[in-house]
Amino acid sequence: MSGPAKSLRLEKVARHFGEGETRLDVLAGVDFAIEAGEMVALVAPSGTGKSTLLHIAGLLERADAGEVYVNGEACSGLDDARRTEMRRQSIGFVYQFHHLLPEFSALENIMLPQMIGGLQAKEASERAKQLLDYMRIGKRASHRPAELSGGEQQRVAIARAVANNPYVLLADEPTGNLDPKTSHYVFDALTALVRQSGVAALIATHNHELAARMDRVVTLEAGHIAPYSFD
């Protein structure tokens, strides 16, 4: 393959709901790709298919037509077991709410996906400590989520999302619950992690200031990906 590797590629992806006269075409043949190490902002109003696009790209939902490639592997024909394996190993997710497990420490929350993936506890712990240090919250490793600030919780969630060295990172309003100052701090940490790891990141956000700092900004128009204009 010539040129930069496309870690995530959607080819003629379509998704509709309902049938006949009530059919709603949410995605109408999306063609879209993200390179390794690239950050792309997805800015679109509610109801345009943003969440559907993220779910299909993350193999949480199946498209009605088209193909999703993760690191070059076609995923539409995979069985459920292989799709689950791909989500664990190749795709990281960050949501608006951190979804950390409350009974576990920050360190343990980052260790768990690694151990589910087959890593030994010692190696998982070392990787988790490195990520916490990189996110500048290494001193909070033993704290449970309830003992962390909102910004700290989200940084743990980001570290957990990349713990298994995924090819693709999908984030849905990752700073939506944070105040402006904390949002910028978390976004800076996320950006540094994307650049350092080479993960391809698709980040849905309503924050125009943060979107403008990414490599590209796209939107959804009539079920298709289109460049986004801030005008």
Side-chain angles (χ1 to χ4, degrees):
M1 181 186 296
S2 60
K6 302 293 191 294
S7 290
L8 175 66
R9 181 159 59 96
L10 277 62
E11 196 172 87
K12 296 180 173 56
V13 167
R15 185 76 171 101
H16 67 266
F17 298 96
E19 296 294 339
E21 294 181 0
T22 63
R23 171 168 158 163
L24 174 64
D25 291 304
V26 178
L27 303 178
V30 168
D31 288 304
F32 180 57
I34 307 180
E35 299 173 359
E38 184 181 23
M39 293 182 74
V40 178
L42 175 60
V43 180
S46 298
T48 56
K50 183 175 56 178
S51 294
T52 299
L53 178 66
L54 288 171
H55 289 167
I56 290 174
L59 308 184
L60 294 168
E61 187 175 332
R62 290 184 184 270
D64 294 309
E67 187 59 86
V68 176
Y69 296 89
V70 176
N71 194 40
E73 181 173 352
C75 299
S76 66
L78 300 179
D79 61 24
D80 289 341
R82 177 58 181 152
R83 286 170 70 88
T84 298
E85 185 180 14
M86 288 285 286
R87 286 195 300 270
R88 284 181 185 159
Q89 296 179 348
S90 302
I91 304 170
F93 299 91
V94 182
Y95 300 99
Q96 184 170 349
F97 186 71
H98 56 77
H99 294 296
L100 299 174
L101 297 173
E103 65 271 31
F104 294 104
S105 68
L107 184 77
E108 291 165 340
N109 266 279
I110 302 170
M111 289 175 62
L112 280 172
Q114 300 178 76
M115 294 174 68
I116 291 171
L119 210 61
Q120 295 297 313
K122 182 179 179 181
E123 294 174 287
S125 176
E126 290 174 356
R127 168 75 171 157
K129 288 175 183 176
Q130 290 173 355
L131 285 166
L132 286 170
D133 286 340
Y134 195 84
M135 300 299 280
R136 299 183 181 179
I137 48 172
K139 294 181 179 179
R140 310 289 277 168
S142 63
H143 292 249
R144 294 183 180 183
E147 301 169 317
L148 303 173
S149 69
E152 289 170 339
Q153 290 169 346
Q154 201 63 329
R155 278 182 277 165
V156 174
I158 292 168
R160 179 184 59 185
V162 300
N164 283 336
N165 293 308
Y167 296 108
V168 176
L169 178 66
L170 301 171
D172 193 358
E173 297 289 351
T175 62
N177 281 333
L178 307 176
D179 63 81
K181 182 178 180 181
T182 305
S183 292
H184 282 276
Y185 195 90
V186 169
F187 181 78
D188 288 344
L190 174 59
T191 301
L193 203 55
V194 169
R195 304 306 188 204
Q196 186 271 338
S197 66
V199 67
L202 177 60
I203 301 170
T205 181
H206 289 297
N207 188 320
H208 283 192
E209 187 177 351
L210 295 184
R213 294 173 56 191
M214 298 190 217
D215 300 310
R216 278 190 291 151
V217 185
V218 299
T219 189
L220 277 164
E221 293 180 357
H224 295 274
I225 289 285
Y228 182 80
S229 172
F230 290 102
D231 298 334

